Amino acid sequence: MNALQSRVRVRWGIVALVVVAILGAIVYAIDRFVLGFSPLLGPGVAVALATLEVVYIQALYRSWGYRLDDDALELERGVVTKVETAVPYVRVQHVDTQRGPLDRLLGLGQVVVYTAGSRGADVTIPGLKPDQARELRNRLRDLAIESEPEDAV
């Protein structure tokens, strides 16, 4: 399995810290204006959640992997629930690369594979170098074009 770039942990960490800061502020406000227990309750909750997020992000990073097999894109991910996904190339409709502001700042990109089927039937591979994302997108596009309709699952 191919691993993600290690900088994806920084991206996930920044997003998690924003969420933790918001939750800590909410707990602080509720404690300050409603409960009145301790001014340290909000920051204490934030520190506890941040610690849990660091552990979770490390485990999530170790769980992520992808590979291009002969007939399908294989993905493995998940900490609490392990998910293994096989996307047959014959089901691939189109492939995008995406780079949001945080991705550009960290030198990362992601590949989104859209598949035939129900609404929302797509998979995302985060945490790739931009050139790696473009190469993967092009390779997946070529494999989708090469696949024969009789190969469908």
Side-chain angles (χ1 to χ4, degrees):
M1 283 287 185
N2 298 305
L4 304 179
Q5 293 297 311
S6 61
R7 285 181 302 228
V8 75
R9 294 178 294 188
V10 174
R11 184 192 192 289
W12 292 338
I14 291 170
V15 172
L17 282 177
V18 169
V19 171
V20 164
I22 291 169
L23 290 175
I26 290 170
V27 169
Y28 176 78
I30 290 171
D31 180 53
R32 173 124 166 95
F33 299 111
V34 179
L35 303 175
F37 289 137
S38 167
L40 297 179
L41 183 61
V45 168
V47 168
L49 288 175
T51 303
L52 289 173
E53 283 297 329
V54 167
V55 172
Y56 179 80
I57 287 168
Q58 294 301 328
L60 182 61
Y61 175 73
R62 285 192 303 273
S63 75
W64 247 103
Y66 71 94
R67 100 176 139 247
L68 300 177
D69 283 346
D70 292 335
D71 60 347
L73 167 65
E74 301 282 339
L75 301 165
E76 292 180 5
R77 64 217 180 271
V79 176
V80 176
T81 301
K82 298 288 186 183
V83 179
E84 295 179 5
T85 304
V87 181
Y89 301 131
V90 72
R91 304 287 291 166
V92 173
Q93 295 293 305
H94 67 280
V95 185
D96 290 339
T97 56
Q98 294 180 353
R99 296 184 71 209
L102 189 53
D103 293 321
R104 290 191 301 273
L105 181 68
L106 295 171
L108 295 172
Q110 56 187 352
V111 172
V112 182
V113 181
Y114 299 91
T115 60
S118 62
R119 185 187 338 198
D122 58 299
V123 294
T124 301
I125 304 170
L128 303 172
K129 290 181 181 175
D131 58 336
Q132 185 183 18
R134 281 188 294 276
E135 289 171 15
L136 181 58
R137 178 201 61 205
N138 293 341
R139 182 72 180 127
L140 285 167
R141 181 197 60 217
D142 294 344
L143 289 166
I145 291 169
E146 294 170 8
S147 65
E148 296 295 324
E150 60 267 10
D151 292 340
V153 176

